[in-house]
Amino acid sequence: MSKAFEIVEEVQINGTPERIWEAVTTGTAAWMFPTDQWPAVRVVDEYPTHLVTRMDGAEGWFNQVEHLLAPQGTGTAMRYVHSGIFVEDWNNQYDGASKHTVFYLHTLGQYLSYFDGKPVAFSDIQGPEASTAPEALDTWLSALGITNEMQGAELDLELPGFGTGPVIVDFRNENFVGLRTRHAMVRIFGRNAFGAPVGVSVHDFTPGADAQANTEVWQEAIEAAFRS
């Protein structure tokens, strides 16, 4: 049964309202995923402090995202509101969406702090059906060489497609892990907790990587490296 939802987060972001505006409009591939293919309409467009985008569908369905931005100290205070209608499995969808929001907003802050404005190559890798199992995230992390390290730890890891080197665990909770290198962010999504496969997104800021971002060869190489 359809039911409305609202997810509200208030965060401090290390960046100006202008840089955040660019990141959440034309730069989403650098920290979340490309959204330029979505038919969203800007119902409020007050650069650079207030943005509301919305999509409407049949039978009252809608999806809306609001950003309120105000300079605060050396950064920006952001109020983020995601609202809409989930048409089925409301509790699981709300739980997953709200937890994803915290991770994505953290990643936005990481992008603006370490890679702001750099060209990016984005890739999204979904695990196989077996990765929906309850232990799948822990199994994958163990294979990568991550055990009990908490947020802020620095490891020497071999990241698929990037070789061996220092890696910062910039985010860690029971569902998500964020890894940051000198030239990339790797986001690991334990979506098995919400009945979906474990997923990985790669934001590669290596100089020149963006020139390969849309080629099948690059996509296949990244996916093969992580699947192995």
Side-chain angles (χ1 to χ4, degrees):
M1 185 177 71
S2 298
K3 183 179 177 182
F5 73 92
E6 183 176 78
I7 297 166
V8 181
E9 292 289 337
E10 296 186 0
V11 295
Q12 176 83 7
I13 300 287
N14 183 28
T16 65
E18 290 81 4
R19 297 307 301 152
I20 295 172
W21 183 286
E22 181 173 332
V24 302
T25 54
T26 62
T28 57
W31 59 276
M32 188 170 62
F33 48 80
T35 59
D36 53 356
Q37 75 278 9
W38 289 8
V41 175
R42 296 188 184 185
V43 295
V44 178
D45 191 354
E46 300 173 0
Y47 177 84
T49 58
H50 193 192
L51 175 68
V52 180
T53 57
R54 181 180 173 109
M55 292 185 290
D56 287 279
E59 300 179 358
W61 178 91
F62 75 95
N63 187 74
Q64 179 173 291
V65 177
E66 179 180 31
H67 296 85
L68 278 167
L69 306 170
Q72 186 175 83
T74 60
T76 297
M78 180 169 77
R79 177 178 168 85
Y80 172 95
V81 182
H82 181 193
S83 56
I85 300 246
F86 286 138
V87 296
E88 58 183 15
D89 194 16
W90 194 93
N91 288 334
N92 208 28
Q93 287 205 59
Y94 180 83
D95 188 39
S98 59
K99 290 178 178 177
H100 274 71
T101 294
V102 173
F103 190 33
Y104 281 133
L105 295 182
H106 169 84
T107 302
L108 170 61
Q110 291 288 293
Y111 162 65
L112 290 168
S113 294
Y114 298 98
F115 306 106
D116 186 17
K118 292 185 178 180
V120 65
F122 171 82
S123 186
D124 180 64
I125 303 105
Q126 298 303 312
E129 181 64 26
S131 71
T132 61
E135 70 280 2
L137 177 61
D138 290 339
T139 299
W140 197 89
L141 291 173
S142 179
L144 190 63
I146 299 173
T147 53
N148 297 319
E149 291 83 7
M150 299 305 294
Q151 185 167 317
E154 182 171 340
L155 306 173
D156 193 48
L157 289 182
E158 182 180 357
L159 276 182
F162 293 95
T164 302
V167 177
I168 302 294
V169 181
D170 68 76
F171 188 93
R172 178 113 192 230
N173 65 18
E174 69 272 24
N175 301 121
F176 306 104
V177 178
L179 304 176
R180 190 184 76 247
T181 74
R182 181 184 176 189
H183 293 300
M185 292 191 298
V186 175
R187 311 287 97 177
I188 303 167
F189 299 86
R191 297 189 177 114
N192 54 320
F194 316 114
V198 171
V200 179
S201 67
V202 179
H203 307 269
D204 187 358
F205 301 95
T206 304
D210 61 304
Q212 307 175 61
N214 296 318
T215 68
E216 290 185 8
V217 172
W218 184 87
Q219 292 284 348
E220 290 173 358
I222 289 290
E223 182 170 344
F226 274 90
R227 282 186 175 275
S228 69

mmCIF file of all heavy atoms in Angstrom, residues 133-155:
data_model
loop_
_atom_site.group_PDB
_atom_site.id
_atom_site.type_symbol
_atom_site.label_atom_id
_atom_site.label_comp_id
_atom_site.label_asym_id
_atom_site.label_seq_id
_atom_site.Cartn_x
_atom_site.Cartn_y
_atom_site.Cartn_z
ATOM 1 N N ALA A 133 22.793 -12.560 0.927
ATOM 2 C CA ALA A 133 22.841 -13.339 2.169
ATOM 3 C C ALA A 133 23.208 -12.447 3.352
ATOM 4 O O ALA A 133 23.925 -11.456 3.195
ATOM 5 C CB ALA A 133 23.849 -14.477 2.031
ATOM 6 N N PRO A 134 22.769 -12.791 4.563
ATOM 7 C CA PRO A 134 23.025 -11.942 5.735
ATOM 8 C C PRO A 134 24.496 -11.667 5.993
ATOM 9 O O PRO A 134 24.861 -10.597 6.468
ATOM 10 C CB PRO A 134 22.388 -12.735 6.886
ATOM 11 C CG PRO A 134 21.334 -13.568 6.237
ATOM 12 C CD PRO A 134 21.882 -13.923 4.889
ATOM 13 N N GLU A 135 25.369 -12.650 5.692
ATOM 14 C CA GLU A 135 26.791 -12.494 5.987
ATOM 15 C C GLU A 135 27.588 -11.936 4.813
ATOM 16 O O GLU A 135 28.809 -11.808 4.888
ATOM 17 C CB GLU A 135 27.392 -13.853 6.379
ATOM 18 C CG GLU A 135 27.501 -14.861 5.242
ATOM 19 C CD GLU A 135 26.204 -15.579 4.909
ATOM 20 O OE1 GLU A 135 25.159 -15.282 5.545
ATOM 21 O OE2 GLU A 135 26.218 -16.454 4.020
ATOM 22 N N ALA A 136 26.912 -11.546 3.738
ATOM 23 C CA ALA A 136 27.611 -11.193 2.495
ATOM 24 C C ALA A 136 28.542 -9.994 2.645
ATOM 25 O O ALA A 136 29.659 -10.001 2.135
ATOM 26 C CB ALA A 136 26.596 -10.942 1.384
ATOM 27 N N LEU A 137 28.104 -8.943 3.334
ATOM 28 C CA LEU A 137 28.960 -7.767 3.474
ATOM 29 C C LEU A 137 30.236 -8.124 4.228
ATOM 30 O O LEU A 137 31.332 -7.748 3.809
ATOM 31 C CB LEU A 137 28.222 -6.640 4.191
ATOM 32 C CG LEU A 137 29.058 -5.373 4.465
ATOM 33 C CD1 LEU A 137 29.550 -4.748 3.168
ATOM 34 C CD2 LEU A 137 28.261 -4.365 5.294
ATOM 35 N N ASP A 138 30.103 -8.835 5.343
ATOM 36 C CA ASP A 138 31.280 -9.216 6.124
ATOM 37 C C ASP A 138 32.217 -10.109 5.312
ATOM 38 O O ASP A 138 33.438 -9.979 5.402
ATOM 39 C CB ASP A 138 30.857 -9.935 7.404
ATOM 40 C CG ASP A 138 30.192 -8.998 8.410
ATOM 41 O OD1 ASP A 138 30.419 -7.777 8.301
ATOM 42 O OD2 ASP A 138 29.447 -9.481 9.269
ATOM 43 N N THR A 139 31.648 -11.004 4.527
ATOM 44 C CA THR A 139 32.466 -11.886 3.687
ATOM 45 C C THR A 139 33.268 -11.082 2.681
ATOM 46 O O THR A 139 34.464 -11.313 2.471
ATOM 47 C CB THR A 139 31.571 -12.902 2.955
ATOM 48 O OG1 THR A 139 30.885 -13.695 3.924
ATOM 49 C CG2 THR A 139 32.393 -13.809 2.047
ATOM 50 N N TRP A 140 32.613 -10.100 2.063
ATOM 51 C CA TRP A 140 33.288 -9.289 1.045
ATOM 52 C C TRP A 140 34.382 -8.433 1.666
ATOM 53 O O TRP A 140 35.492 -8.332 1.141
ATOM 54 C CB TRP A 140 32.260 -8.404 0.329
ATOM 55 C CG TRP A 140 32.766 -7.857 -0.969
ATOM 56 C CD1 TRP A 140 32.682 -8.431 -2.192
ATOM 57 C CD2 TRP A 140 33.473 -6.626 -1.151
ATOM 58 N NE1 TRP A 140 33.287 -7.628 -3.133
ATOM 59 C CE2 TRP A 140 33.782 -6.523 -2.522
ATOM 60 C CE3 TRP A 140 33.872 -5.613 -0.294
ATOM 61 C CZ2 TRP A 140 34.465 -5.442 -3.054
ATOM 62 C CZ3 TRP A 140 34.557 -4.530 -0.817
ATOM 63 C CH2 TRP A 140 34.840 -4.450 -2.185
ATOM 64 N N LEU A 141 34.080 -7.824 2.808
ATOM 65 C CA LEU A 141 35.078 -6.988 3.474
ATOM 66 C C LEU A 141 36.290 -7.820 3.890
ATOM 67 O O LEU A 141 37.437 -7.382 3.753
ATOM 68 C CB LEU A 141 34.472 -6.301 4.691
ATOM 69 C CG LEU A 141 33.422 -5.219 4.407
ATOM 70 C CD1 LEU A 141 32.797 -4.745 5.710
ATOM 71 C CD2 LEU A 141 34.021 -4.053 3.644
ATOM 72 N N SER A 142 36.048 -9.013 4.407
ATOM 73 C CA SER A 142 37.144 -9.885 4.826
ATOM 74 C C SER A 142 38.031 -10.248 3.648
ATOM 75 O O SER A 142 39.264 -10.254 3.759
ATOM 76 C CB SER A 142 36.570 -11.146 5.476
ATOM 77 O OG SER A 142 37.614 -12.019 5.867
ATOM 78 N N ALA A 143 37.422 -10.525 2.509
ATOM 79 C CA ALA A 143 38.198 -10.858 1.318
ATOM 80 C C ALA A 143 39.043 -9.676 0.864
ATOM 81 O O ALA A 143 40.144 -9.843 0.329
ATOM 82 C CB ALA A 143 37.261 -11.297 0.187
ATOM 83 N N LEU A 144 38.547 -8.468 1.105
ATOM 84 C CA LEU A 144 39.273 -7.266 0.731
ATOM 85 C C LEU A 144 40.410 -6.965 1.708
ATOM 86 O O LEU A 144 41.357 -6.259 1.365
ATOM 87 C CB LEU A 144 38.300 -6.083 0.676
ATOM 88 C CG LEU A 144 38.791 -4.769 0.088
ATOM 89 C CD1 LEU A 144 39.166 -4.946 -1.373
ATOM 90 C CD2 LEU A 144 37.710 -3.700 0.214
ATOM 91 N N GLY A 145 40.308 -7.515 2.914
ATOM 92 C CA GLY A 145 41.340 -7.278 3.923
ATOM 93 C C GLY A 145 40.912 -6.342 5.029
ATOM 94 O O GLY A 145 41.729 -5.838 5.796
ATOM 95 N N ILE A 146 39.595 -6.086 5.129
ATOM 96 C CA ILE A 146 39.050 -5.205 6.159
ATOM 97 C C ILE A 146 38.345 -6.063 7.203
ATOM 98 O O ILE A 146 37.472 -6.873 6.872
ATOM 99 C CB ILE A 146 38.061 -4.198 5.557
ATOM 100 C CG1 ILE A 146 38.771 -3.319 4.518
ATOM 101 C CG2 ILE A 146 37.439 -3.324 6.639
ATOM 102 C CD1 ILE A 146 37.833 -2.420 3.752
ATOM 103 N N THR A 147 38.723 -5.894 8.465
ATOM 104 C CA THR A 147 38.104 -6.685 9.527
ATOM 105 C C THR A 147 37.363 -5.757 10.487
ATOM 106 O O THR A 147 36.253 -5.342 10.205
ATOM 107 C CB THR A 147 39.161 -7.535 10.255
ATOM 108 O OG1 THR A 147 40.239 -6.681 10.695
ATOM 109 C CG2 THR A 147 39.729 -8.596 9.314
ATOM 110 N N ASN A 148 37.986 -5.420 11.607
ATOM 111 C CA ASN A 148 37.296 -4.612 12.619
ATOM 112 C C ASN A 148 37.723 -3.147 12.616
ATOM 113 O O ASN A 148 37.416 -2.420 13.565
ATOM 114 C CB ASN A 148 37.542 -5.214 14.005
ATOM 115 C CG ASN A 148 36.968 -6.609 14.128
ATOM 116 O OD1 ASN A 148 35.873 -6.878 13.651
ATOM 117 N ND2 ASN A 148 37.716 -7.502 14.771
ATOM 118 N N GLU A 149 38.447 -2.721 11.600
ATOM 119 C CA GLU A 149 38.927 -1.335 11.563
ATOM 120 C C GLU A 149 37.747 -0.361 11.571
ATOM 121 O O GLU A 149 36.776 -0.528 10.837
ATOM 122 C CB GLU A 149 39.775 -1.097 10.322
ATOM 123 C CG GLU A 149 41.102 -1.823 10.341
ATOM 124 C CD GLU A 149 41.002 -3.267 9.886
ATOM 125 O OE1 GLU A 149 39.900 -3.654 9.438
ATOM 126 O OE2 GLU A 149 42.004 -3.996 9.984
ATOM 127 N N MET A 150 37.868 0.661 12.388
ATOM 128 C CA MET A 150 36.794 1.631 12.527
ATOM 129 C C MET A 150 37.076 2.872 11.686
ATOM 130 O O MET A 150 38.160 3.022 11.111
ATOM 131 C CB MET A 150 36.624 2.018 13.998
ATOM 132 C CG MET A 150 36.267 0.841 14.895
ATOM 133 S SD MET A 150 34.782 -0.065 14.342
ATOM 134 C CE MET A 150 33.525 1.187 14.586
ATOM 135 N N GLN A 151 36.104 3.758 11.652
ATOM 136 C CA GLN A 151 36.227 5.007 10.905
ATOM 137 C C GLN A 151 37.443 5.787 11.380
ATOM 138 O O GLN A 151 37.658 5.962 12.577
ATOM 139 C CB GLN A 151 34.954 5.828 11.099
ATOM 140 C CG GLN A 151 34.896 7.098 10.268
ATOM 141 C CD GLN A 151 33.498 7.683 10.265
ATOM 142 O OE1 GLN A 151 32.513 6.956 10.135
ATOM 143 N NE2 GLN A 151 33.387 8.998 10.421
ATOM 144 N N GLY A 152 38.265 6.223 10.423
ATOM 145 C CA GLY A 152 39.487 6.961 10.725
ATOM 146 C C GLY A 152 40.736 6.122 10.615
ATOM 147 O O GLY A 152 41.846 6.668 10.582
ATOM 148 N N ALA A 153 40.579 4.796 10.508
ATOM 149 C CA ALA A 153 41.747 3.914 10.394
ATOM 150 C C ALA A 153 42.415 4.084 9.039
ATOM 151 O O ALA A 153 41.768 4.363 8.033
ATOM 152 C CB ALA A 153 41.337 2.464 10.600
ATOM 153 N N GLU A 154 43.741 3.923 9.011
ATOM 154 C CA GLU A 154 44.488 3.928 7.761
ATOM 155 C C GLU A 154 45.074 2.538 7.551
ATOM 156 O O GLU A 154 45.742 1.993 8.427
ATOM 157 C CB GLU A 154 45.597 4.971 7.773
ATOM 158 C CG GLU A 154 46.373 5.023 6.450
ATOM 159 C CD GLU A 154 47.342 6.185 6.358
ATOM 160 O OE1 GLU A 154 47.150 7.160 7.126
ATOM 161 O OE2 GLU A 154 48.263 6.130 5.530
ATOM 162 N N LEU A 155 44.799 1.968 6.375
ATOM 163 C CA LEU A 155 45.222 0.613 6.060
ATOM 164 C C LEU A 155 46.097 0.613 4.822
ATOM 165 O O LEU A 155 46.070 1.544 4.012
ATOM 166 C CB LEU A 155 43.998 -0.277 5.791
ATOM 167 C CG LEU A 155 42.920 -0.326 6.877
ATOM 168 C CD1 LEU A 155 41.722 -1.111 6.377
ATOM 169 C CD2 LEU A 155 43.469 -0.931 8.144
#
